[in-house]
Amino acid sequence: MRIVFAGTPEFAAVALDALLAGGFTVPLVLTQPDRPAGRGMKLQASPVKQRALAAGIPVTQPQGLRLDGKYAADAAAAREALQAAAPDLMVVAAYGLILPQWVLDLPAQGCLNIHASLLPRWRGAAPIHRAIEAGDAETGITIMQMDAGLDTGAMCVVERLAIRPDDTTATLHDRLAALGGRLIVEALEMAACGGLPHTPQPAEGVTYAHKIEKAEAAIDWTRPAAEIERRLRAFDPFPGGVATLAGEAVKVWRAEVVEGRGQPGEVIATGPVVACGEGALRLTELQRAGGKRGPAAAFLQSRPMAVGERFGAA
């Protein structure tokens, strides 16, 4: 089978690695344009582009795929490259562009998407983050036949994965990426012999995983401690949790739910322990502005915290 691959971040790069290791022919890779990154804000290739170039695979990076849109010239060039690649099927993983109908129709067997949730729960951009934030006990990978809707296509292969009590988006991401790579290989092997199932998604249980916004980092101490703790894990590595202490911005990365009462945001015990709207949090990993994230003990050496001080919103 000739497989065109479309993806951008590390989650997708793991899947591309799995396809190449599985011996599939990948004549073309689509990925997002290079973006400024790092302190010098130099243009940086996506993880998928880096893997593709290392494997000698041609790469195309359209800014858009709508033939009648702002980037129509890019879309036309991408269509020419796709037609020349003559794919049997396209695999899509966290690509970052909506595929118009002409792309969905071009491969002989359509497009399969590697989605990091148990559809129809957590359709959309940030399923890993939102599953942790919501306190879900499990998530998984759904290999889906793409259609014109937002993650609405038929389910082909599904496998569940437990969410651990200490999982962050970073740790869960890595396990899901590995699972996605394994399942897409299995799905393509089934498709090659005509045995790939297609099960319509149920109408019940639909939720949307909206994109993570930087403003969500602000900690609302009036919320229950358990909820804040989940958000901290969901927003690690981005955007973290942010609060202020005597006017200084402080990043809170990790915390433990403990018993305690006080005014929301108030330091009620050494540790430090901070009161929330319900219960309290022992802050275990912190970061000062311009500093490195690390244990609370190291933070307190440079910035001691007295009982009675109060954190505010960022």
Side-chain angles (χ1 to χ4, degrees):
M1 296 180 71
R2 294 173 61 82
I3 309 298
V4 165
F5 186 84
T8 298
E10 183 63 25
F11 179 87
V14 172
L16 178 58
D17 287 343
L19 294 180
L20 297 176
F24 290 95
T25 299
V26 183
L28 181 67
V29 162
L30 278 70
T31 191
Q32 286 277 305
D34 297 357
R35 306 291 189 199
R39 289 189 175 183
M41 295 301 285
K42 294 181 180 179
L43 287 178
Q44 183 170 316
S46 73
V48 163
K49 181 180 179 180
Q50 294 176 41
R51 301 286 218 291
L53 293 180
I57 302 171
V59 175
T60 187
Q61 298 175 269
Q63 296 189 73
L65 288 170
R66 286 185 54 184
L67 294 170
D68 60 349
K70 179 180 179 181
Y71 302 110
D74 271 18
R79 181 171 64 172
E80 185 175 335
L82 281 166
Q83 289 172 334
D88 295 300
L89 196 147
M90 178 185 282
V91 171
V92 183
Y95 176 34
L97 287 180
I98 294 175
L99 301 188
Q101 194 64 45
W102 73 261
V103 177
L104 299 176
D105 293 340
L106 193 148
Q109 298 183 44
C111 303
L112 292 181
N113 178 251
I114 307 171
H115 188 76
S117 83
L118 301 173
L119 291 171
R121 186 163 178 79
W122 302 128
R123 295 174 178 171
I128 303 176
H129 306 73
R130 299 306 182 189
I132 294 175
E133 181 186 15
D136 290 0
E138 63 178 4
T139 183
I141 291 289
T142 303
I143 306 297
M144 174 192 69
Q145 186 79 46
M146 297 181 70
D147 61 17
L150 177 62
D151 299 328
T152 56
M155 302 178 294
C156 303
V157 181
V158 180
E159 187 164 321
R160 298 174 180 272
L161 187 71
I163 299 178
R164 299 168 182 164
D166 61 346
D167 261 329
T168 65
T169 286
T171 61
L172 186 55
H173 165 280
D174 290 352
R175 300 208 310 283
L176 286 168
L179 178 58
R182 175 169 65 80
L183 291 187
I184 191 60
V185 169
E186 292 180 10
L188 291 176
E189 289 172 346
M190 285 188 278
C193 61
L196 188 64
H198 291 76
T199 303
Q201 292 185 36
E204 300 78 26
V206 175
T207 59
Y208 289 92
H210 298 289
K211 179 181 176 181
I212 302 298
E213 303 291 346
K214 190 174 182 180
E216 292 184 77
I219 298 173
D220 181 357
W221 299 100
T222 66
R223 304 303 301 167
E227 179 183 313
I228 298 173
E229 188 273 338
R230 291 198 306 268
R231 287 173 65 91
L232 295 177
R233 290 188 289 111
F235 297 164
D236 182 357
F238 175 84
V242 182
T244 58
L245 186 65
E248 178 185 355
V250 175
K251 274 212 163 184
V252 182
W253 289 106
R254 298 299 292 271
E256 300 171 351
V257 178
V258 296
E259 294 184 358
R261 299 179 67 179
Q263 293 299 311
E266 179 186 2
V267 178
I268 58 174
T270 57
V273 177
V274 181
C276 304
E278 180 182 310
L281 288 174
R282 184 186 306 279
L283 310 186
T284 59
E285 192 172 346
L286 300 165
Q287 181 179 0
R288 297 188 75 175
K292 296 180 179 180
R293 62 185 284 182
F299 179 95
L300 293 173
Q301 288 180 349
S302 63
R303 205 297 186 185
M305 234 179 272
V307 172
E309 283 195 87
R310 192 166 178 182
F311 280 93

